[in-house]
């Protein structure tokens, strides 16, 4: 009760008693008793007054934010098929964000060297920004730049893959650890034998989200199907030619290949290569319902796609940046979206 009282007292100086009474639907005398912590006030009444004050605070924030422009730099290292989804999701949710007028500035590259990402983030630090959305590898230069941007008052929100242990403001995206566990469960449920080789492909070594997926996948699969061996292949950046080059020699030496867990994409190239080597009827679990994966699962080349709603992620991103500027209520440091298991029978329209 004392905690509620302190919250109320911190807020009351902003709003007249009559305004709080109108918002709560209570009489002014009742509100006065609550604000002054007098006796004979029920917990329900106190909660209604506190809720009314919080609602007034949010309304005040929305009024303050209305018309304010916020420039957000969206910096992403990913194949074009995924960055196109990010752009579409961002543009779709922007009209519904009531805390300011967001102006995204997209900077997409399929592969970023250490020097590339340092230059990009240093340029943002120099010219300024209201926030940065970042999908990048977890490497020392990125960690340093995240902390530098934050120290300059530029909130950084990581997307899809986190940069833990830094001063980043929030992470938005799928729960990668649970996604990996879900992939293992689906694979174990679909397996027709107790032994086999699973090829786990990752786009890069340093994407923390892919490490989370892969690690939790291996741990869960070892519990559910101890006879399965996981072969880890990283590289290719999710791009067709690089992925093909990375896997060609590997497939020549693999025996008893049973399943594919595509942690980092490039599935169109992987499926074509599997067909060239005569593999069929493999259990295939992939991530993200992009245009390539939609065609592959419709054709039966992929068994399951673990999908999450990028629109939810982008909405959470803009809200986290607005909250960092005190234009919206505070948000959690991790804003995860649910994993959806997609099959050929429940493809979204």
């Amino acid at each position: 009760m004392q905690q509620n009282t302190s919250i109320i007292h911190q807020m009351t100086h902003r709003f007249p008693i009559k305004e709080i009474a109108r918002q709560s639907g209570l009489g002014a005398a009742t509100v006065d008793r609550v604000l002054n912590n007098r006796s004979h006030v029920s917990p329900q009444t106190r909660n209604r007054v506190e809720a009314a004050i919080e609602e007034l605070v949010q309304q005040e924030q929305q009024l303050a934010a209305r018309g304010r422009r916020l420039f957000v730099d969206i910096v992403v290292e990913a194949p074009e098929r995924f960055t196109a989804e990010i752009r579409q999701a961002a543009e779709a949710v922007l009209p519904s964000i009531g805390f300011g007028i967001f102006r995204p500035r997209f900077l997409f590259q399929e592969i970023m060297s250490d020097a590339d990402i340092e230059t990009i983030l240093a340029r943002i630090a120099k010219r300024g920004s209201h926030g940065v959305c970042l999908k990048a590898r977890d490497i020392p230069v990125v960690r340093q730049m995240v902390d530098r941007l934050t120290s300059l008052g530029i909130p950084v929100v990581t997307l899809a893959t986190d940069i833990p242990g830094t001063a980043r403001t929030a992470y938005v995206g799928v729960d990668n650890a649970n996604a990996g566990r879900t992939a293992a469960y689906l694979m174990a449920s679909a397996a027709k034998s107790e032994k086999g080789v699973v090829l786990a492909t990752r786009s890069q070594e340093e994407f923390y989200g892919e490490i989370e997926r892969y690690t939790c996948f291996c741990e869960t699969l070892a519990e559910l199907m101890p006879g399965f061996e996981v072969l880890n292949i990283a590289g290719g950046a999710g791009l067709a030619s690089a992925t093909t080059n990375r896997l060609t020699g590997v497939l020549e030496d693999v025996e008893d290949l049973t399943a594919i867990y595509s942690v980092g994409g490039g599935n169109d190239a992987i499926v074509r290569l599997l067909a060239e080597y005569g593999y069929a009827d493999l259990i295939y679990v992939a991530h993200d319902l992009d245009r390539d994966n939609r065609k592959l699962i419709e054709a039966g080349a992929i068994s399951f796609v673990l999908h999450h709603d990028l629109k939810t992620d982008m909405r959470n991103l803009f809200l986290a940046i607005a909250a960092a500027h005190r234009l919206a209520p505070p948000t959690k440091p991790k804003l995860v979206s649910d994993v959806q298991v997609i099959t050929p029978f429940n493809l979204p329209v």
Side-chain angles (χ1 to χ4, degrees):
M1 186 68 70
Q2 183 60 41
Q3 183 180 0
N4 287 345
T5 302
S6 64
I7 291 173
I8 288 173
H9 280 301
Q10 289 170 14
M11 296 181 177
T12 51
H13 69 282
R14 293 188 183 184
F15 310 109
I17 289 177
K18 289 183 179 180
E19 189 173 357
I20 299 171
R22 283 195 299 269
Q23 187 70 26
S24 65
L26 299 169
T30 301
V31 172
D32 181 73
R33 285 201 303 272
V34 173
L35 298 180
N36 290 285
N37 201 27
R38 295 195 178 99
S39 58
H40 306 299
V41 175
S42 69
Q44 293 83 358
T45 299
R46 187 175 297 278
N47 289 339
R48 285 178 65 182
V49 172
E50 182 178 350
I53 295 173
E54 290 176 351
E55 291 163 4
L56 289 169
V57 169
Q58 292 182 19
Q59 293 169 18
E60 188 178 68
Q61 289 171 336
Q62 289 176 329
L63 289 172
R66 191 170 298 168
R68 179 173 174 182
R69 289 190 298 174
L70 299 172
F71 290 94
V72 177
D73 293 279
I74 301 179
V75 181
V76 176
E77 178 182 358
E80 185 275 335
R81 63 178 179 274
F82 187 61
T83 56
E85 299 285 338
I86 291 174
R87 182 189 290 272
Q88 290 174 9
E91 292 173 347
V93 302
L94 280 174
S96 66
I97 305 297
F99 300 98
I101 301 171
F102 285 89
R103 293 288 182 261
R105 298 184 288 211
F106 298 100
L107 202 161
F108 299 149
Q109 284 184 210
E110 293 192 318
I111 299 177
M112 292 183 182
S113 67
D114 294 11
D116 287 338
I117 189 65
E118 181 177 22
T119 299
I120 290 166
L121 296 179
R123 187 182 303 123
I124 293 172
K126 184 176 181 179
R127 65 164 159 75
S129 176
H130 292 106
V132 174
C133 166
L134 182 63
K135 181 185 181 296
R137 291 171 294 126
D138 185 7
I139 55 177
V141 65
V142 171
R143 301 176 70 84
Q144 293 167 9
M145 289 306 303
V146 169
D147 289 341
R148 179 182 170 190
L149 288 165
T150 305
S151 71
L152 293 172
I154 301 173
V156 178
V157 178
T158 53
L159 171 68
T161 181
D162 204 2
I163 311 291
T166 63
R168 64 104 173 100
T169 300
Y171 163 76
V172 299
V174 70
D175 183 330
N176 286 299
N178 276 341
R181 296 184 187 104
T182 301
Y185 175 80
L186 292 170
M187 196 167 288
S189 300
K192 298 177 182 178
S193 63
E194 296 183 356
K195 293 184 179 180
V197 174
V198 177
L199 184 63
T201 62
R202 292 158 50 198
S203 67
Q204 297 278 13
E205 289 280 4
E206 300 96 345
F207 280 122
Y208 182 77
E210 292 188 15
I211 295 172
E212 284 186 295
R213 291 178 186 178
Y214 172 74
T215 301
C216 292
F217 169 80
C218 291
E219 291 173 351
T220 304
L221 192 68
E223 294 174 2
L224 299 175
M225 301 292 288
F228 273 49
E229 175 191 354
V230 180
L231 182 60
N232 174 32
I233 303 297
L239 303 176
S241 59
T243 300
T244 300
N245 292 337
R246 185 71 184 89
L247 292 179
T248 298
V250 174
L251 290 175
E252 292 176 353
D253 300 328
V254 174
E255 296 181 2
D256 197 20
L257 182 62
T258 304
I260 304 290
Y261 178 33
S262 176
V263 183
N267 297 298
D268 194 46
I270 296 172
V271 168
R272 285 200 305 268
L273 196 59
L274 290 171
E276 290 177 14
Y277 279 84
Y279 287 108
D281 299 323
L282 298 178
I283 305 167
Y284 199 126
V285 182
H287 281 271
D288 302 319
L289 197 62
D290 57 35
R291 59 176 182 258
D292 287 354
N293 288 348
R294 178 179 284 273
K295 293 178 182 177
L296 292 171
I297 198 168
E298 286 175 341
I302 289 178
S303 312
F304 307 100
V305 172
L306 301 181
H307 181 60
H308 66 286
D309 185 10
L310 266 175
K311 292 180 182 177
T312 298
D313 297 338
M314 299 311 295
R315 182 177 292 106
N316 286 336
L317 159 75
F318 293 124
L319 291 177
I321 290 174
H325 291 283
R326 299 183 179 181
L327 299 175
T331 58
K332 298 177 181 179
K334 284 195 174 184
L335 301 165
V336 296
S337 48
D338 293 334
V339 175
Q340 304 171 40
V341 179
I342 303 297
T343 73
F345 301 100
N346 68 333
L347 276 167
V349 178

